[in-house]
Amino acid sequence: MNWYPDLAEEILEGLYAQIRPALMLFVEAAGYLPDCDIILMQVAGCLEPHLLQPAILIKSIPYTNPEIFLEWMNAAVNHGWLYHERGKFGLTDSGREIVEGLNELCDRLYAKIKVLSDPEMARLRYISDLVIEKIKQQPVEKPAFKLKLLFSRYLDRPLIVQLRQQMFIVLAFREDARVASWRPYESDGQVWETFSLICSRKAGNAAELVAQLPQRNYSTADYGAALDQLDARGWITLQDDSYIPTGQGVRVWNDVDKRTDQIFDAAFLGLNNVEMEEFQGLMRKFSSMLSQLENLKKIRKSALELRQ
């Protein structure tokens, strides 16, 4: 089902583009800083009455430097948005107020976006629910999927918000499928992501990896060590000052890709041919209509600038 991740990512990016200006005004007014991720507070809220532990994020997001999660949480404590209790974190009243305000704003903004009819959105939600229920039955570890499910308390939220969250949930399972596929090779997240960028030719050295992956918070030295490890395993080799995959590396990469597809595709086996065709058609229409909205917004902006 290679079509699903691409379409879902296009839709999610298109939806965010529609609300981003208003959302940034809210974020700036609330005084958020780059070192404090609002998602941490949202996760803490969804976990209530239980507390958030860094280990939950480390397991669910294995590609990010684990030390940064604790830094973000401590920053949120300093801002008064989270409180700390024996290595665990929970929302303060002010943090809860911010999260609730953000959710309400997002709901209002997303609800204004009209791309599919209500019956089409309801049908898309129904088919997506079938896929999610099938994912729950898959015999692989699913930490990212389970984390995203925490955000699924959306029954009273606008339909378009529900669809958005379902896409995040299914994409999280795609990540779980990939992790389950490379784990047998005894790698870790940072090393595997390094290998991924080498194989896709998006980076060839440590400096380029840092530039490509600033959100991971690893240093040039960290990526240099990962490259050395991959080189020692015979998966990459240095050519003209850049690393490229070896024949063995390509075979490993292809094997993990194949395993990932097999695990992910199994979640769609519960759909019959009619549902599958309808699912893909609605996702494509969703993406296309969002693109048209974005193009219309650009045209209106250009027209306004010409009048000024």
Side-chain angles (χ1 to χ4, degrees):
M1 302 302 160
N2 289 332
W3 59 266
Y4 184 89
D6 291 340
L7 282 176
E9 287 170 4
E10 288 174 9
I11 291 168
L12 293 172
E13 289 172 6
L15 286 172
Y16 182 67
Q18 294 295 313
I19 74 163
R20 188 178 185 280
L23 191 61
M24 288 301 100
L25 289 176
F26 178 90
V27 168
E28 291 170 7
Y32 297 147
L33 298 176
D35 62 350
C36 183
D37 193 342
I38 183 62
I39 294 177
L40 294 178
M41 288 196 287
Q42 291 177 314
V43 173
C46 290
L47 279 171
E48 290 182 323
H50 305 291
L51 299 180
L52 172 62
Q53 302 178 60
I56 293 174
L57 297 171
I58 292 169
K59 193 171 184 179
S60 303
I61 313 171
Y63 305 107
T64 297
N65 188 334
E67 295 177 1
I68 199 65
F69 293 126
L70 190 57
E71 289 182 22
W72 285 338
M73 290 178 188
N74 285 329
V77 170
N78 291 335
H79 292 134
W81 301 332
L82 293 180
Y83 67 87
H84 181 252
E85 183 180 294
R86 298 179 181 179
K88 301 177 182 180
F89 297 80
L91 275 181
T92 62
D93 289 341
S94 58
R96 187 174 296 102
E97 183 179 343
I98 290 173
V99 170
E100 290 174 353
L102 181 62
N103 288 340
E104 290 172 4
L105 174 63
C106 288
D107 284 359
R108 290 200 307 271
L109 294 173
Y110 282 126
K112 293 178 180 179
I113 302 173
K114 306 298 181 183
V115 287
L116 297 178
S117 68
D118 286 348
E120 286 174 323
M121 287 197 292
R123 185 62 179 167
L124 187 53
R125 179 184 60 182
Y126 170 76
I127 299 175
S128 297
D129 272 338
L130 293 179
V131 173
I132 290 171
E133 287 304 311
K134 192 70 173 178
I135 290 173
K136 293 177 181 178
Q137 302 169 20
Q138 299 309 304
V140 294
E141 196 172 9
K142 299 182 283 288
F145 172 78
K146 291 178 180 178
L147 181 62
K148 286 299 181 183
L149 276 179
L150 292 174
F151 291 84
S152 65
R153 301 173 184 178
Y154 51 50
L155 295 179
D156 59 344
R157 302 185 72 179
L159 196 49
I160 195 167
V161 174
Q162 298 178 38
L163 292 174
R164 176 178 174 270
Q165 195 53 50
Q166 285 178 318
M167 291 178 205
F168 276 122
I169 290 169
V170 177
L171 288 177
F173 176 63
R174 175 76 180 183
E175 285 305 311
D176 287 330
R178 183 162 294 280
V179 173
S181 299
W182 57 250
R183 283 289 189 204
Y185 284 99
E186 298 181 353
S187 181
D188 63 32
Q190 187 237 349
V191 173
W192 184 262
E193 190 167 43
T194 298
F195 182 52
S196 296
L197 265 69
I198 298 297
C199 287
S200 60
R201 307 302 173 95
K202 293 179 180 177
N205 55 53
E208 291 175 356
L209 285 159
V210 170
Q212 287 286 333
L213 301 167
Q215 75 278 17
R216 301 307 190 196
N217 288 277
Y218 282 111
S219 67
T220 303
D222 292 329
Y223 283 116
L227 290 168
D228 289 343
Q229 185 180 142
L230 291 166
D231 192 4
R233 299 188 73 164
W235 291 4
I236 63 174
T237 187
L238 193 60
Q239 184 180 88
D240 298 328
D241 298 324
S242 288
Y243 282 98
I244 62 171
T246 62
Q248 180 186 356
V250 170
R251 287 190 294 274
V252 170
W253 173 257
N254 289 339
D255 179 58
V256 169
D257 245 11
K258 182 179 178 181
R259 289 170 182 257
T260 301
D261 288 342
Q262 289 173 339
I263 295 171
F264 184 67
D265 291 355
F268 294 78
L269 295 179
L271 303 182
N272 59 42
N273 291 338
V274 173
E275 290 168 334
M276 182 67 75
E277 185 176 345
E278 189 178 8
F279 192 28
Q280 189 171 0
L282 287 171
M283 290 286 288
R284 290 193 184 283
K285 183 176 181 180
F286 201 156
S287 178
S288 176
M289 294 295 286
L290 276 173
S291 295
Q292 291 178 34
L293 275 181
E294 187 62 23
N295 290 335
L296 181 60
K297 189 162 64 174
K298 290 178 181 177
I299 291 171
R300 287 173 175 168
K301 182 179 179 182
S302 298
L304 182 62
E305 290 173 348
L306 286 173
R307 293 195 194 103
Q308 295 175 345

